Coordinates of all heavy atoms in Angstrom, one line a residue:
M853 N 108.3 132.4 173.9 CA 107.2 133.3 173.3 C 105.9 132.9 173.8 O 105.0 133.8 174.0 CB 107.2 133.1 171.8 CG 107.8 134.4 171.1 SD 107.4 134.5 169.4 CE 105.7 134.9 169.4
T854 N 105.7 131.6 174.1 CA 104.3 131.2 174.7 C 104.4 131.4 176.2 O 104.8 130.5 176.9 CB 104.0 129.8 174.3 OG1 105.1 129.0 174.5 CG2 103.5 129.7 172.9
D855 N 104.0 132.5 176.7 CA 103.9 132.7 178.1 C 102.5 132.6 178.6 O 102.2 133.0 179.7 CB 104.6 134.0 178.5 CG 104.1 135.2 177.7 OD1 103.3 134.9 176.8 OD2 104.6 136.3 177.9
Y856 N 101.6 132.0 177.8 CA 100.3 131.8 178.2 C 100.2 130.4 178.9 O 100.9 129.5 178.5 CB 99.3 131.8 177.0 CG 99.3 133.1 176.3 CD1 99.8 133.3 175.1 CD2 98.7 134.2 176.9 CE1 99.8 134.5 174.4 CE2 98.7 135.5 176.3 CZ 99.3 135.6 175.0 OH 99.2 136.8 174.4
P857 N 99.3 130.3 179.9 CA 99.2 129.0 180.6 C 98.6 127.9 179.6 O 97.7 128.2 178.8 CB 98.2 129.3 181.7 CG 97.5 130.5 181.3 CD 98.4 131.3 180.4
T858 N 99.2 126.7 179.6 CA 98.7 125.7 178.8 C 98.1 124.5 179.6 O 98.5 124.4 180.8 CB 99.9 125.1 177.9 OG1 100.8 124.5 178.8 CG2 100.5 126.1 177.1
T859 N 97.2 123.8 179.0 CA 96.7 122.6 179.7 C 96.6 121.5 178.6 O 96.5 121.8 177.5 CB 95.2 122.9 180.2 OG1 94.6 123.8 179.3 CG2 95.2 123.4 181.6
P860 N 96.8 120.3 179.1 CA 96.7 119.2 178.1 C 95.3 119.1 177.6 O 94.3 119.1 178.4 CB 97.1 118.0 178.9 CG 97.5 118.4 180.2 CD 97.0 119.8 180.4
C861 N 95.1 118.9 176.3 CA 93.8 118.6 175.7 C 93.2 117.4 176.3 O 93.9 116.4 176.5 CB 93.9 118.5 174.2 SG 92.4 117.9 173.4
A862 N 91.9 117.5 176.7 CA 91.3 116.3 177.3 C 91.2 115.1 176.4 O 91.1 114.0 176.8 CB 89.8 116.7 177.7
S863 N 91.3 115.3 175.1 CA 91.2 114.2 174.1 C 92.5 113.7 173.7 O 92.8 112.5 173.8 CB 90.4 114.7 172.9 OG 89.2 115.3 173.2
C864 N 93.4 114.6 173.3 CA 94.7 114.1 172.7 C 95.9 114.4 173.5 O 97.0 114.0 173.1 CB 94.8 114.7 171.3 SG 95.2 116.4 171.3
K865 N 95.7 115.1 174.6 CA 96.8 115.4 175.6 C 97.9 116.4 175.1 O 98.8 116.7 175.7 CB 97.5 114.1 176.0 CG 96.6 113.0 176.4 CD 95.8 113.3 177.7 CE 95.0 112.1 178.1 NZ 93.7 112.6 178.6
Q866 N 97.7 116.9 173.9 CA 98.6 118.0 173.4 C 98.3 119.2 174.2 O 97.2 119.5 174.7 CB 98.3 118.3 172.0 CG 98.9 117.4 171.0 CD 98.6 117.8 169.5 OE1 98.9 118.9 169.2 NE2 98.0 116.9 168.8
P867 N 99.4 120.0 174.5 CA 99.2 121.3 175.2 C 98.4 122.3 174.4 O 98.7 122.5 173.2 CB 100.6 121.8 175.5 CG 101.5 121.1 174.5 CD 100.8 119.8 174.1
V868 N 97.3 122.8 175.0 CA 96.5 123.8 174.4 C 96.4 125.0 175.3 O 96.6 124.9 176.5 CB 95.1 123.3 174.0 CG1 95.2 122.2 173.0 CG2 94.4 122.8 175.3
I869 N 96.1 126.2 174.8 CA 95.8 127.4 175.5 C 94.3 127.6 175.4 O 93.8 127.7 174.3 CB 96.6 128.6 175.0 CG1 98.1 128.3 175.0 CG2 96.3 129.8 175.8 CD1 98.9 129.3 174.1
W870 N 93.6 127.7 176.6 CA 92.2 128.0 176.5 C 92.0 129.5 176.4 O 92.6 130.3 177.2 CB 91.5 127.5 177.8 CG 91.2 126.0 177.7 CD1 92.0 125.0 178.1 CD2 90.1 125.5 177.0 NE1 91.3 123.8 177.8 CE2 90.2 124.1 177.1 CE3 88.9 126.0 176.4 CZ2 89.2 123.2 176.6 CZ3 88.0 125.1 175.8 CH2 88.1 123.7 175.9
T871 N 91.3 129.9 175.4 CA 91.1 131.3 175.2 C 89.6 131.7 175.2 O 88.7 130.8 175.2 CB 91.7 131.7 173.8 OG1 90.8 131.2 172.8 CG2 93.1 131.2 173.6
V872 N 89.3 133.0 175.2 CA 88.0 133.5 175.1 C 87.9 134.3 173.9 O 88.6 135.2 173.7 CB 87.6 134.3 176.4 CG1 86.1 134.8 176.2 CG2 87.8 133.5 177.6
T873 N 86.9 133.9 173.0 CA 86.8 134.6 171.7 C 86.1 136.0 171.9 O 85.6 136.3 173.0 CB 86.0 133.8 170.7 OG1 84.7 133.7 171.1 CG2 86.6 132.4 170.6
D874 N 86.0 136.8 170.8 CA 85.3 138.0 170.9 C 83.8 137.8 171.0 O 83.1 138.7 171.2 CB 85.7 139.0 169.8 CG 85.7 138.3 168.4 OD1 85.2 137.1 168.3 OD2 86.2 138.8 167.5
K875 N 83.4 136.6 170.9 CA 82.0 136.3 171.1 C 81.8 135.6 172.5 O 80.7 135.0 172.7 CB 81.4 135.3 170.0 CG 81.4 136.0 168.6 CD 80.7 135.1 167.6 CE 80.6 135.8 166.3 NZ 81.9 136.0 165.6
S876 N 82.8 135.7 173.3 CA 82.8 135.2 174.7 C 82.6 133.7 174.7 O 82.1 133.1 175.7 CB 81.7 135.9 175.5 OG 82.0 137.2 175.7
K877 N 83.1 133.0 173.7 CA 83.1 131.6 173.7 C 84.5 131.1 174.1 O 85.5 131.7 173.7 CB 82.8 131.1 172.3 CG 81.4 131.3 171.8 CD 80.6 130.0 171.5 CE 79.1 130.2 171.4 NZ 78.8 131.0 170.3
R878 N 84.5 130.0 174.8 CA 85.8 129.4 175.2 C 86.3 128.5 174.0 O 85.6 127.7 173.4 CB 85.7 128.5 176.4 CG 85.7 129.3 177.7 CD 85.2 128.6 178.9 NE 86.0 127.4 179.1 CZ 87.2 127.4 179.7 NH1 87.7 128.5 180.1 NH2 87.9 126.3 179.9
M879 N 87.6 128.8 173.6 CA 88.1 128.1 172.5 C 89.6 127.7 172.8 O 90.4 128.5 173.1 CB 88.1 129.0 171.2 CG 88.7 128.3 170.0 SD 88.6 129.3 168.5 CE 90.0 130.4 168.8
P880 N 89.9 126.4 172.6 CA 91.3 126.0 172.8 C 92.1 126.2 171.5 O 91.6 126.0 170.4 CB 91.2 124.5 173.1 CG 89.9 124.1 172.5 CD 89.0 125.3 172.3
V881 N 93.3 126.7 171.6 CA 94.2 126.8 170.5 C 95.5 126.0 170.8 O 95.8 125.8 172.0 CB 94.6 128.3 170.1 CG1 93.3 129.1 169.8 CG2 95.3 128.9 171.3
D882 N 96.2 125.6 169.8 CA 97.5 124.9 170.0 C 98.4 125.8 170.7 O 98.5 127.0 170.4 CB 98.1 124.5 168.6 CG 97.3 123.4 167.9 OD1 96.4 122.9 168.6 OD2 97.6 123.1 166.8
A883 N 99.2 125.3 171.6 CA 100.1 126.1 172.4 C 101.2 126.7 171.6 O 101.6 127.9 171.8 CB 100.8 125.2 173.5
Q884 N 101.7 126.0 170.5 CA 102.7 126.5 169.7 C 102.2 127.3 168.5 O 101.3 126.8 167.8 CB 103.6 125.4 169.1 CG 104.6 124.8 170.1 CD 105.5 125.8 170.7 OE1 106.0 126.7 169.9 NE2 105.8 125.8 172.0
P885 N 102.6 128.6 168.4 CA 102.2 129.3 167.2 C 102.8 128.7 165.9 O 103.9 128.1 166.0 CB 102.8 130.7 167.4 CG 103.8 130.6 168.5 CD 103.5 129.3 169.2
T886 N 102.1 128.8 164.8 CA 102.6 128.2 163.5 C 102.4 129.3 162.4 O 101.6 130.2 162.6 CB 101.8 127.0 163.1 OG1 100.4 127.3 163.1 CG2 102.1 125.8 164.1
S887 N 103.2 129.1 161.3 CA 103.1 130.1 160.3 C 101.8 130.0 159.5 O 101.5 130.9 158.8 CB 104.3 129.8 159.3 OG 104.3 128.5 158.9
D888 N 101.0 128.9 159.7 CA 99.7 128.8 159.1 C 98.6 129.0 160.1 O 97.5 128.6 159.9 CB 99.6 127.6 158.3 CG 99.7 126.3 159.1 OD1 100.2 126.4 160.3 OD2 99.3 125.2 158.7
G889 N 98.9 129.5 161.3 CA 97.9 129.8 162.3 C 97.0 131.0 161.8 O 97.3 131.7 160.9
T890 N 95.9 131.1 162.5 CA 94.9 132.1 162.1 C 94.4 133.0 163.3 O 93.7 133.9 163.1 CB 93.6 131.5 161.5 OG1 93.1 130.6 162.4 CG2 94.0 130.7 160.2
V891 N 94.9 132.6 164.5 CA 94.3 133.2 165.7 C 95.3 134.0 166.5 O 96.4 133.5 166.8 CB 93.7 132.1 166.6 CG1 93.1 132.8 167.9 CG2 92.6 131.3 165.9
A892 N 95.1 135.3 166.7 CA 95.9 136.1 167.5 C 95.5 136.1 169.0 O 94.3 136.1 169.2 CB 95.9 137.5 167.0
L893 N 96.5 136.0 169.9 CA 96.1 136.0 171.3 C 96.6 137.3 172.0 O 97.6 137.8 171.7 CB 96.8 134.8 172.0 CG 96.6 133.4 171.4 CD1 97.2 132.4 172.3 CD2 95.1 133.1 171.3
T894 N 95.8 137.7 173.0 CA 96.2 138.8 173.8 C 95.8 138.5 175.2 O 94.7 137.9 175.5 CB 95.5 140.1 173.4 OG1 94.1 139.9 173.2 CG2 96.2 140.7 172.2
A895 N 96.6 138.8 176.2 CA 96.3 138.6 177.6 C 95.4 139.7 178.0 O 95.6 140.9 177.7 CB 97.6 138.6 178.4
A896 N 94.4 139.3 178.8 CA 93.4 140.3 179.3 C 93.1 139.9 180.8 O 92.2 139.0 181.0 CB 92.2 140.4 178.5
G897 N 93.9 140.4 181.7 CA 93.7 139.9 183.1 C 94.1 138.5 183.2 O 95.1 138.0 182.7
S898 N 93.2 137.7 183.8 CA 93.4 136.3 183.9 C 93.0 135.5 182.7 O 93.2 134.3 182.6 CB 92.7 135.7 185.2 OG 91.3 135.9 185.0
Q899 N 92.4 136.2 181.7 CA 91.9 135.5 180.5 C 92.9 135.7 179.4 O 93.7 136.6 179.4 CB 90.6 136.1 180.0 CG 89.4 135.8 180.9 CD 88.1 136.3 180.4 OE1 88.1 137.3 179.6 NE2 87.0 135.7 180.7
V900 N 92.8 134.8 178.4 CA 93.5 135.0 177.1 C 92.5 135.2 176.1 O 91.6 134.3 175.9 CB 94.4 133.8 176.8 CG1 95.2 134.0 175.5 CG2 95.4 133.5 177.9
R901 N 92.5 136.3 175.5 CA 91.5 136.6 174.4 C 92.0 136.2 173.1 O 93.2 136.3 172.8 CB 91.1 138.1 174.4 CG 90.8 138.7 175.7 CD 89.5 138.1 176.3 NE 88.4 138.2 175.4 CZ 87.2 138.8 175.7 NH1 87.0 139.4 176.9 NH2 86.2 138.8 174.9
S902 N 91.1 135.6 172.3 CA 91.6 135.2 170.9 C 90.7 135.9 169.9 O 89.6 136.2 170.1 CB 91.4 133.7 170.8 OG 90.1 133.3 171.0
R903 N 91.4 136.2 168.8 CA 90.7 136.9 167.7 C 91.2 136.3 166.4 O 92.4 136.1 166.2 CB 91.1 138.3 167.7 CG 90.3 139.2 166.8 CD 90.6 140.7 167.1 NE 92.1 140.9 167.2 CZ 92.9 141.1 166.2 NH1 92.5 141.1 165.0 NH2 94.2 141.2 166.4
V904 N 90.3 135.9 165.5 CA 90.7 135.4 164.2 C 91.2 136.5 163.3 O 90.5 137.5 163.2 CB 89.6 134.6 163.5 CG1 90.0 134.2 162.1 CG2 89.2 133.4 164.4
V905 N 92.4 136.4 162.7 CA 93.0 137.4 161.9 C 92.6 137.1 160.5 O 92.7 136.0 160.0 CB 94.5 137.4 162.1 CG1 95.2 138.5 161.2 CG2 94.9 137.7 163.5
E906 N 92.1 138.2 159.8 CA 91.8 138.1 158.4 C 93.0 137.6 157.5 O 94.1 138.0 157.8 CB 91.3 139.4 157.8 CG 89.9 139.8 158.1 CD 89.6 141.1 157.5 OE1 89.5 141.2 156.3 OE2 89.4 142.1 158.3
A907 N 92.7 136.8 156.5 CA 93.8 136.2 155.7 C 94.8 137.3 155.2 O 96.0 137.1 155.2 CB 93.1 135.5 154.5
K908 N 94.3 138.5 154.8 CA 95.2 139.5 154.2 C 96.2 140.0 155.2 O 97.1 140.7 154.9 CB 94.4 140.6 153.5 CG 93.5 141.3 154.5 CD 92.7 142.4 153.7 CE 91.7 143.0 154.6 NZ 90.8 144.0 153.9
F909 N 95.9 139.9 156.5 CA 96.7 140.4 157.6 C 97.7 139.3 158.2 O 98.4 139.6 159.1 CB 95.9 141.0 158.7 CG 95.2 142.2 158.3 CD1 93.8 142.3 158.5 CD2 95.8 143.3 157.7 CE1 93.1 143.4 158.1 CE2 95.1 144.4 157.3 CZ 93.7 144.5 157.5
R910 N 97.5 138.1 157.7 CA 98.3 137.0 158.2 C 99.7 136.8 157.6 O 100.5 136.2 158.2 CB 97.6 135.7 158.0 CG 96.4 135.5 158.9 CD 95.7 134.1 158.6 NE 94.3 134.2 158.8 CZ 93.4 133.5 158.2 NH1 93.8 132.6 157.2 NH2 92.1 133.6 158.4
F911 N 99.9 137.4 156.5 CA 101.1 137.1 155.7 C 102.3 137.4 156.5 O 102.5 138.5 157.1 CB 101.1 137.9 154.4 CG 102.3 137.6 153.6 CD1 102.4 136.5 152.8 CD2 103.4 138.5 153.6 CE1 103.5 136.2 152.0 CE2 104.5 138.2 152.8 CZ 104.6 137.1 152.0
G912 N 103.2 136.5 156.6 CA 104.5 136.6 157.2 C 104.5 136.6 158.7 O 105.5 136.7 159.4
R913 N 103.3 136.4 159.3 CA 103.3 136.4 160.8 C 103.6 135.0 161.3 O 103.1 134.0 160.7 CB 101.9 136.8 161.2 CG 101.7 138.3 161.0 CD 100.4 138.8 161.6 NE 100.4 138.7 163.1 CZ 99.5 139.3 163.8 NH1 98.6 140.0 163.3 NH2 99.6 139.2 165.1
K914 N 104.3 134.9 162.3 CA 104.6 133.6 162.9 C 104.1 133.5 164.3 O 104.5 132.6 165.1 CB 106.1 133.3 162.9 CG 106.6 133.2 161.4 CD 108.1 132.8 161.4 CE 108.5 132.4 160.0 NZ 108.2 133.5 159.0
D915 N 103.3 134.4 164.8 CA 102.8 134.5 166.1 C 101.4 134.0 166.3 O 100.8 134.2 167.3 CB 103.0 135.9 166.7 CG 102.2 136.9 166.0 OD1 102.0 136.7 164.7 OD2 101.7 137.9 166.6
L916 N 100.8 133.5 165.2 CA 99.4 133.1 165.2 C 99.3 131.7 165.5 O 100.1 130.8 165.1 CB 98.8 133.5 163.9 CG 98.8 135.0 163.5 CD1 98.2 135.2 162.1 CD2 98.2 135.8 164.5
H917 N 98.2 131.4 166.2 CA 97.9 130.0 166.7 C 96.8 129.4 165.8 O 96.0 130.1 165.3 CB 97.5 130.0 168.1 CG 98.6 130.5 169.1 ND1 99.3 129.7 169.9 CD2 99.1 131.8 169.2 CE1 100.1 130.4 170.6 NE2 100.1 131.7 170.2
K918 N 96.8 128.0 165.8 CA 95.7 127.3 165.2 C 94.7 127.0 166.2 O 95.0 126.5 167.3 CB 96.3 126.0 164.6 CG 96.5 126.0 163.1 CD 96.8 124.6 162.7 CE 97.5 124.6 161.3 NZ 98.0 123.3 161.0
A919 N 93.4 127.1 165.8 CA 92.4 126.6 166.6 C 92.5 125.1 166.8 O 92.7 124.4 165.9 CB 91.0 126.9 166.0
H920 N 92.5 124.7 168.1 CA 92.8 123.3 168.3 C 91.6 122.4 167.8 O 91.9 121.2 167.5 CB 92.9 123.0 169.8 CG 93.4 121.6 170.1 ND1 94.6 121.1 169.7 CD2 92.8 120.6 170.8 CE1 94.8 119.9 170.0 NE2 93.7 119.5 170.7
F921 N 90.5 123.0 167.6 CA 89.4 122.2 166.9 C 89.8 121.7 165.6 O 89.4 120.6 165.2 CB 88.2 123.1 166.7 CG 87.5 123.6 167.9 CD1 87.4 125.0 168.2 CD2 87.0 122.8 168.8 CE1 86.8 125.5 169.3 CE2 86.4 123.2 170.0 CZ 86.3 124.6 170.2
S922 N 90.6 122.4 164.9 CA 91.0 122.0 163.5 C 92.2 121.1 163.5 O 92.4 120.3 162.5 CB 91.3 123.2 162.6 OG 92.3 124.0 163.1
S923 N 93.0 121.1 164.6 CA 94.2 120.2 164.5 C 94.1 119.0 165.4 O 94.9 118.1 165.4 CB 95.4 121.1 164.9 OG 95.3 121.5 166.2
C924 N 93.1 119.0 166.3 CA 93.0 117.9 167.3 C 92.6 116.6 166.5 O 91.6 116.6 165.7 CB 91.9 118.2 168.3 SG 91.8 116.9 169.6
P925 N 93.3 115.5 166.8 CA 93.0 114.3 166.1 C 91.6 113.8 166.6 O 91.0 113.0 165.9 CB 94.1 113.3 166.6 CG 95.0 114.0 167.4 CD 94.5 115.4 167.6
Q926 N 91.1 114.3 167.7 CA 89.8 113.9 168.3 C 88.8 115.0 168.0 O 87.8 115.1 168.7 CB 89.9 113.7 169.8 CG 91.1 112.9 170.3 CD 90.9 111.4 169.9 OE1 89.8 111.0 169.8 NE2 92.0 110.7 169.7
A927 N 89.0 115.7 166.9 CA 88.1 116.8 166.6 C 86.6 116.5 166.6 O 85.8 117.3 166.9 CB 88.5 117.5 165.3
N928 N 86.3 115.2 166.2 CA 84.9 114.8 166.1 C 84.3 114.9 167.5 O 83.1 115.3 167.6 CB 84.8 113.4 165.5 CG 85.1 113.4 164.0 OD1 85.0 114.5 163.4 ND2 85.4 112.3 163.5
T929 N 85.0 114.5 168.5 CA 84.5 114.6 169.9 C 84.1 116.0 170.2 O 83.1 116.3 170.9 CB 85.6 114.1 170.8 OG1 86.4 113.1 170.2 CG2 84.9 113.5 172.1
W930 N 85.0 117.0 169.8 CA 84.7 118.4 170.1 C 83.4 118.8 169.4 O 82.6 119.5 170.0 CB 85.8 119.3 169.5 CG 87.1 119.1 170.2 CD1 88.3 118.5 169.7 CD2 87.5 119.7 171.5 NE1 89.3 118.6 170.6 CE2 88.8 119.3 171.7 CE3 86.8 120.4 172.4 CZ2 89.5 119.7 172.8 CZ3 87.4 120.8 173.5 CH2 88.8 120.4 173.8
R931 N 83.3 118.5 168.2 CA 82.2 119.1 167.4 C 80.9 118.6 167.9 O 79.9 119.2 167.8 CB 82.3 118.7 165.9 CG 83.5 119.3 165.3 CD 83.2 120.1 164.0 NE 84.3 121.0 163.7 CZ 85.5 120.6 163.2 NH1 85.7 119.4 162.9 NH2 86.4 121.5 163.0
R932 N 80.9 117.4 168.5 CA 79.6 116.8 169.0 C 79.1 117.5 170.2 O 77.9 117.3 170.5 CB 79.8 115.3 169.2 CG 78.8 114.5 168.4 CD 79.0 113.0 168.6 NE 80.2 112.5 167.9 CZ 81.1 111.7 168.4 NH1 81.1 111.3 169.6 NH2 82.1 111.3 167.6
R933 N 80.0 118.2 170.9 CA 79.5 118.8 172.2 C 78.3 119.8 172.0 O 78.5 120.7 171.2 CB 80.6 119.6 172.8 CG 81.6 118.6 173.5 CD 82.4 119.4 174.6 NE 82.9 120.6 174.1 CZ 83.5 121.5 174.8 NH1 83.7 121.3 176.1 NH2 84.0 122.6 174.3
Ligands
ZN1424 ZN1 93.1 117.6 171.2

C-alpha cells in the first residue's frame, strides 16, 4: 500500500515519507499508515501532497498517516528548527 518513496528520519532512522502540505511546507509522515493517523497522502508528480483530514472524516479509515513530528522520539529536535 505504501508506494511512496521513504527516507530514514535524520533523527530516529525510522522510515518517513516527505510530503508537501497544502501550505507548501515540507512535512515528514510515518511511512506506515495507522488507524489513528490524521494525514491523507496523494501523489502529485514527483511530490507527495499531504492534507490533514478532519476528525469526522477519519472514522474507519486505515490509510491515514501520522505526522512524524508527533511520533518521532526526537520531536524536540524538530520543533526547535
Ligand atoms: Zn524521527
